[in-house]
Amino acid sequence: MTTSLPRLLAGLLLILLLGVAGPAQAALLHLEGPLPQELGVHDGSLSPCATPAHCARLDWTLRDPAAALSALVPVLETTEGVRIVERDGPYLHATATSRLFGFVDDLELLARPAAGVLQARSSSRLGDSDLGVNGRRLAALRQELPDS
């Protein structure tokens, strides 16, 4: 039986796409996008989401937001594809890179002890929709908190 070259190449590409193993840094593509201007603390808070199609932002009411932030650091450090970029007091910025295509999302956490709140924001750098990835990321992080 003979196989045409285009079918063989298509099969090999499919194997590569489905069989990529290892950390997100080994993604087939790396679709990073520019660093968003809205990152960081603005007037004491994280930026709101411009659109919920590719961004999720939540305020978690907690007894000790600073301790909750500290508790999430080892979780983030051991999560595949996540890299902590900045940790400055009550603020944390990390990136989460998707395994297959290397899409980069920005994750921010801000402890506001006086308000009893840990703010969380996760946003995709590229695309019109994240298919719910950012919301699920925040929900999974919330489950890791001692007060959850």
Side-chain angles (χ1 to χ4, degrees), residues 9-21 26-29 99-100:
L9 290 175
L12 288 173
L13 180 60
L14 184 61
I15 290 169
L16 282 173
L17 287 174
L18 297 177
V20 173
L28 186 61
L29 302 173
R99 185 172 180 184
L100 184 59

Side-chain angles (χ1 to χ4, degrees), residues 68-87:
L69 176 61
S70 294
L72 288 177
V73 169
V75 172
L76 294 171
E77 289 175 334
T78 58
T79 301
E80 183 180 339
V82 173
R83 182 177 66 89
I84 295 176
V85 177
E86 176 185 356
R87 171 84 195 271

